[in-house]
Amino acid sequence: MDRLVNTVRPYAWGSHTALPELLGQRPTGEPQAELWMGAHPGAPSRADRGEGPRRLDELIAADPEGELGAASVARFGPTLPFLFKILAAGIPLSIQAHPTLDQARAGFAAENALGIPLDAPERNYRDANHKPEMVCALGDFEGLCGFRRPAGAARLLTGLAVPGLAPVIERLTAGGGTSRPKSGGESEALRGALTAALALDGETVRRTVEVLATTDPDGEYAPYARIAKDFPDDRGVIAGMLLNHVRLRAGQALYLGAGVPHAYLSGVCVELQANSDNVLRAGLTPKHIDVPELLEVVVFEAGAPELLEPAPVPGTPGEELYPVPIDEFRLSRFVLNGDGVGADGDGHEIDGRTPQILLCTEGGARLTAADGTVLDLARGQSAFLPATGAPTRLSGIGTGTGSTLFRATVTV
């Protein structure tokens, strides 16, 4: 078992206080957006095995099967397949979508052939992997996810009575002025609407923001009015109105596959994703936006997103699983009692045949390896467990209020 030393990414949208509070640290005065746990070369975790801190990606590269297990290496290759994060949004993140595996490989190769540096701001593909992801709220969490039905989006935009929005509304109704697209189906209506929204003139954006500022602060326009306060000159304000507004309470999760447009607006969550940093952006950001490439990646399908609740895992008492349709990552949690280490019913054994990262988000947790080695985790701390094949026992450290431990691993 390795206690991890992790890197905080100071993106501009990050909360100034949420991550420091979770980690028990003083705020720096700067935004702190994401805590990365894993072996992505952009910000790998570090572990000390007696010779000083070493990067987790280097430890894995030196002995892939010893760290990841033969089954994981055979299935996913000699790298940790997932990246685990704590995300703290102070203001909205960009509206974005992620590529499929084939799109990522092709895009990465094409940008390499053009000689675009990996850290160049205009780079779309920073690796050759896809980026499906799951977020699980640690408190109230708010976001945009997936497309509204064209009729619903048209009604919302029409209600603002901004003449400049007509090109977007017309595409949502296929030019017929009705509540439903007349030709081409929902997919073409949504594609046309997003394309039109990202081409709107500055005056239309400004007028839309002015109208949003006068809407009911508790009504259906409220999320977009809050977005507009942070991004008053951004076409993403209008693009965001094409998407579903979602709220998650603590413990609820949301899975996003390739091509699903989304933006996280506020709150703190754990995020588990494939080991990638490929992002195509549509707005709410000063970063690079490549509309033609974005339109190739986005899946233009409408429908309300499904909020996931954890379900008990048969054969593993105490473990609750958030099901996903892929194998590169698997997210589960343990809610441990607060009666003290070793209390009856407070010990849970987890399988050791796959690589995993354990993260304590409430209270404290004790990890006991098969050889008797003990590692205690406080709130905000995490550990990497190599795939040794031996089980690890989990127990809560008495806090009086209980403890929560998230487990990130793979399915093989």
Side-chain angles (χ1 to χ4, degrees):
M1 298 182 292
D2 298 294
R3 185 187 304 279
L4 293 179
V5 177
N6 304 304
T7 297
V8 173
R9 309 305 296 266
Y11 304 138
W13 50 261
S15 167
H16 286 66
T17 58
L19 270 179
E21 192 276 331
L22 181 67
L23 300 174
Q25 300 173 351
R26 284 180 173 273
T28 64
E30 301 295 326
Q32 295 183 291
E34 294 180 347
L35 181 79
W36 283 29
M37 297 165 284
H40 192 283
S45 300
R46 298 173 301 285
D48 189 343
R49 295 182 176 176
E51 300 176 351
R54 291 187 61 190
R55 291 167 48 132
L56 186 57
D57 56 339
E58 294 177 348
L59 290 171
I60 291 172
D63 183 11
E65 289 199 2
E67 301 291 340
L68 306 176
S72 181
V73 172
R75 181 78 185 276
F76 306 113
T79 58
L80 189 66
F82 60 83
L83 176 60
F84 203 17
K85 299 178 180 178
I86 304 175
L87 183 152
I91 64 173
L93 283 67
S94 60
I95 298 175
Q96 58 189 259
H98 309 301
T100 65
L101 186 57
D102 287 343
Q103 289 168 335
R105 287 171 174 169
F108 185 68
E111 292 185 340
N112 283 348
L114 292 172
I116 303 175
L118 285 176
D119 60 353
E122 70 274 17
R123 180 104 191 191
N124 291 320
Y125 299 93
R126 302 186 185 278
D127 52 66
N129 201 10
H130 62 167
K131 191 175 178 283
E133 63 190 43
M134 168 177 277
V135 293
C136 180
L138 297 183
D140 291 339
F141 191 79
E142 188 176 7
L144 306 176
C145 179
F147 286 105
R148 294 173 178 266
R149 297 290 180 189
R155 180 191 58 79
L156 197 67
L157 292 171
T158 300
L160 294 175
V162 176
L165 295 176
V168 184
I169 298 168
E170 289 171 0
R171 284 160 177 81
L172 288 168
T173 58
T178 64
S179 62
R180 297 182 63 83
K182 284 192 170 182
S183 63
E186 286 188 338
S187 178
E188 287 306 309
L190 294 169
R191 178 184 289 274
L194 181 60
T195 303
L198 297 178
L200 289 172
D201 61 273
E203 175 58 25
T204 297
V205 176
R206 184 191 65 78
R207 179 57 185 153
T208 301
V209 169
E210 288 179 349
V211 173
L212 285 170
T214 67
T215 60
D216 179 358
D218 298 317
E220 64 179 336
Y221 291 104
Y224 307 99
R226 294 196 297 270
I227 293 169
K229 289 181 179 179
D230 293 308
F231 298 94
D233 302 316
D234 198 310
R235 295 177 181 88
V237 174
I238 292 96
M241 297 178 73
L242 303 177
L243 307 183
N244 298 292
H245 176 236
V246 294
R247 293 181 183 274
L248 282 70
R249 65 176 186 273
Q252 288 185 315
L254 188 64
Y255 172 78
L256 300 100
V260 177
H262 60 280
Y264 304 134
L265 303 182
S266 64
V268 181
C269 68
V270 295
E271 181 180 33
L272 185 58
Q273 60 181 70
N275 194 27
S276 173
D277 198 25
N278 288 326
V279 180
L280 282 301
R281 299 176 178 87
L284 309 186
T285 180
K287 294 183 179 180
H288 177 61
I289 295 176
D290 184 338
V291 173
E293 189 67 20
L294 172 78
L295 296 176
E296 290 297 315
V297 165
V298 168
V299 175
F300 291 96
E301 294 180 357
E306 179 185 4
L307 301 187
L308 302 175
E309 303 280 355
V313 179
T316 310
E319 186 176 23
E320 301 173 312
L321 178 67
Y322 294 91
V324 294
I326 63 168
D327 293 336
E328 281 104 320
F329 61 76
R330 177 186 184 277
L331 181 67
S332 61
R333 73 173 183 180
F334 292 84
V335 178
L336 309 169
N337 71 40
D339 297 335
V341 176
D344 290 344
D346 192 25
H348 303 285
E349 189 173 276
I350 58 173
D351 190 281
R353 292 175 293 181
T354 57
Q356 50 201 301
I357 292 176
L358 303 179
L359 166 68
C360 181
T361 58
E362 288 293 340
R366 172 161 292 182
L367 316 181
T368 305
D371 64 1
T373 302
V374 172
L375 178 62
D376 288 345
L377 297 179
R379 186 170 185 247
Q381 293 184 333
S382 57
F384 173 67
L385 276 60
T388 63
T392 298
R393 193 153 187 86
L394 311 179
S395 55
I397 297 177
T399 63
T401 58
S403 304
T404 301
L405 190 83
F406 283 90
R407 179 191 185 203
T409 186
V410 298
T411 300
V412 294

